């Protein structure tokens, strides 16, 4: 059912033949490896910038590559490092100089506490997004942004997944999104709520959108897809207009926190309906596209005050135990 096009590698550095070998090996095992192609392409450009002349990766070169960049989050940093480490191991196994191939990767602090929007903040944010102005440079922006931001929240999408959605990937009759080439080259189907579906149908029926010459569901002014940085800039402005303060770098709210908020809010909803949360977790895992159920389980303990409704049903059950422990102390 899913036939995502493989990215064609275009490497030009002295390491190009070896990068191609790595990609071919991974694809021979059944992996699309599109994410690997993207990461290795960036490293290929880096090698050219560093004027690498021999097929070897020195400790100094690797340290420069692994260094955290301005405005780069820890996940992106780990992403860059991991794929080049695979290349290092390949070079080492073929007799080339890659002394750091099996050295421990640098420690990257990936611990963070996401910002969970309250329902009131979500409403205020959407109201601010609805005030997006039309401009001659971006004639569809005022139509795109209200739908895009609501889709990020109501379907728990990663922003890259939403921006790369094509018209052909959205089935408005069945109410289903087909997500291709997501994190880890995963593919999945995501259901759309009735209210969101109505919103999306209205958006697509607008003549300006319907007549846009683009394959993308959210077409940028050039007919391609929007850059994530553009969406983030709009997000920050809307936060300000909505009276939601930004707490500083690494503390949010981040654009990705709309996805986190979706997960926590849906857990709250299921709990209030009396559903067994752990029975429902596999459903949420599938919707979010997580590899492991343990990743989804983290939403149960990320921000305790944000999901009080989930833990409240257990308070009465363990109330007596809590009293005994308190008395013993």
């Amino acid at each position: 059912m899913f036939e995502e096009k493989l990215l064609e590698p275009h490497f030009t550095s002295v390491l190009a033949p070896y990068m191609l070998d790595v990609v071919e090996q991974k694809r021979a095992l059944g992996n699309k490896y599109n994410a690997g192609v993207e990461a290795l392409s960036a490293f290929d450009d880096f090698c050219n910038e560093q004027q690498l002349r021999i097929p070897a990766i020195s400790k100094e070169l690797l340290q420069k590559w692994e260094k955290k960049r301005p405005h780069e989050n820890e996940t992106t940093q780990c992403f860059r490092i991991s794929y080049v480490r695979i290349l290092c191991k390949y070079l080492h196994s073929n007799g080339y100089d890659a002394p750091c191939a099996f050295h421990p990767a640098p420690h990257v602090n990936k611990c963070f506490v996401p910002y969970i929007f309250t329902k009131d903040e979500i409403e205020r944010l959407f109201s601010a997004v609805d005030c997006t102005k039309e401009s001659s440079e971006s004639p569809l922006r005022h139509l795109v942004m209200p739908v895009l931001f609501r889709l990020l929240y109501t379907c728990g999408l990663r922003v890259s997944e939403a921006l790369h959605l094509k018209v052909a990937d959205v089935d408005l009759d069945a109410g289903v999104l087909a997500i291709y080439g997501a994190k880890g080259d995963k593919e999945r189907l995501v259901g759309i709520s009735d209210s969101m579906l109505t919103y999306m149908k209205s958006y697509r029926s607008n003549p300006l959108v319907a007549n846009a010459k683009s394959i993308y569901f959210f077409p940028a002014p050039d007919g391609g897809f929007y850059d994530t940085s553009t969406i983030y800039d709009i997000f920050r402005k809307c936060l300000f207009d909505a009276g939601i303060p930004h707490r500083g770098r690494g503390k949010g709210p981040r654009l990705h926190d709309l996805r986190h908020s979706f997960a926590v809010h849906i857990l709250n909803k299921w709990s209030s309906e009396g559903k067994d949360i752990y029975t429902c977790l596999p459903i949420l895992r599938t919707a979010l596209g997580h590899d492991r159920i343990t990743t989804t389980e983290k939403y149960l303990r990320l921000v305790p005050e944000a999901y009080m409704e989930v833990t409240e049903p257990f308070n009465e059950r363990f109330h007596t135990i809590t009293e005994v422990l308190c008395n013993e102390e």
Side-chain angles (χ1 to χ4, degrees), residues 22-303:
V22 169
V23 173
E24 288 176 1
Q25 283 187 8
K26 294 296 182 181
R27 287 181 170 173
L29 294 172
N31 300 319
K32 288 188 174 60
Y33 216 62
N34 283 344
V37 171
E38 291 180 349
L40 291 176
S41 293
F43 186 65
D44 186 65
D45 292 338
F46 173 79
C47 290
N48 284 329
E49 291 169 4
Q50 297 297 314
Q51 299 182 344
L52 187 65
R53 295 290 180 259
I54 58 174
I57 300 179
S58 66
K59 179 179 178 181
E60 292 72 27
L61 183 73
L62 196 59
Q63 286 177 337
K64 283 185 180 180
W65 172 255
E66 292 177 341
K67 186 176 180 181
K68 193 173 186 298
R69 300 171 180 175
H71 311 299
E72 180 182 51
N73 63 39
E74 289 78 10
T75 300
T76 304
Q77 182 188 12
C78 286
F79 174 86
R80 291 192 298 104
I81 292 172
S82 63
Y83 283 103
V84 173
R85 288 267 167 169
I86 291 172
L87 175 63
C88 285
K89 291 179 180 179
Y90 173 82
L91 289 171
H92 183 273
S93 65
N94 284 275
Y96 293 95
D97 188 24
C100 298
F102 298 97
H103 289 193
H107 174 71
V108 176
N109 181 19
K110 297 182 68 177
C111 296
F112 71 96
V113 177
Y115 184 95
I116 305 301
F117 289 93
T118 65
K119 294 294 182 64
D120 176 67
E121 287 175 331
I122 288 290
E123 290 177 3
R124 283 155 48 199
L125 177 63
F126 288 165
S127 293
V129 175
D130 289 343
C131 293
T132 302
K133 296 289 190 296
E134 178 183 3
S135 69
S136 56
E137 295 81 12
S138 187
L140 296 181
R141 179 175 294 192
H142 65 298
L143 300 173
V144 166
M145 297 307 153
V147 184
L148 173 63
F149 277 83
R150 282 174 171 84
L151 193 64
L152 291 175
Y153 171 67
T154 61
C155 288
L157 300 185
R158 301 176 179 94
V159 64
S160 60
E161 294 172 347
L163 295 179
H164 287 82
L165 272 177
K166 297 175 182 176
V167 175
D169 300 335
V170 182
D171 189 335
L172 294 179
D173 293 324
V176 174
L177 304 175
I179 306 297
Y180 298 103
K183 186 176 180 180
D185 287 329
K186 297 292 190 302
E187 301 165 344
R188 70 186 190 278
L189 296 176
V190 179
I192 309 170
S193 68
D194 292 340
S195 58
M196 188 66 218
L197 190 58
T198 299
Y199 211 88
M200 293 171 73
K201 286 180 178 179
S202 176
Y203 161 76
R204 282 302 304 173
S205 64
N206 187 296
L208 291 176
V209 176
N211 295 326
K213 296 180 179 180
S214 175
I215 62 172
Y216 292 99
F217 194 79
F218 299 114
D222 63 357
F225 54 84
Y226 280 94
D227 187 86
T228 303
S229 62
T230 300
I231 307 303
Y232 184 73
D233 289 341
I234 294 172
F235 172 69
R236 288 293 296 270
K237 179 184 182 303
C238 290
L239 281 180
F240 179 82
D241 293 343
I244 304 172
H246 193 273
R247 302 180 299 171
R249 177 166 176 76
K251 298 181 180 180
R254 307 172 306 154
L255 193 55
H256 200 64
D257 288 328
L258 287 172
R259 173 175 161 91
H260 294 315
S261 297
F262 159 79
V264 171
H265 291 171
I266 198 68
L267 287 172
N268 284 339
K269 180 177 182 293
W270 286 338
S271 178
S272 67
E273 294 172 350
K275 294 180 179 177
D276 185 324
I277 296 304
Y278 278 93
T279 301
C280 293
L281 277 178
I283 300 173
L284 182 58
R285 171 196 175 187
T286 301
L288 294 173
H290 287 159
D291 281 335
R292 297 178 296 275
I293 193 68
T294 51
T295 303
T296 315
E297 285 177 340
K298 291 178 181 178
Y299 285 113
L300 292 173
R301 57 183 183 272
L302 280 175
V303 188

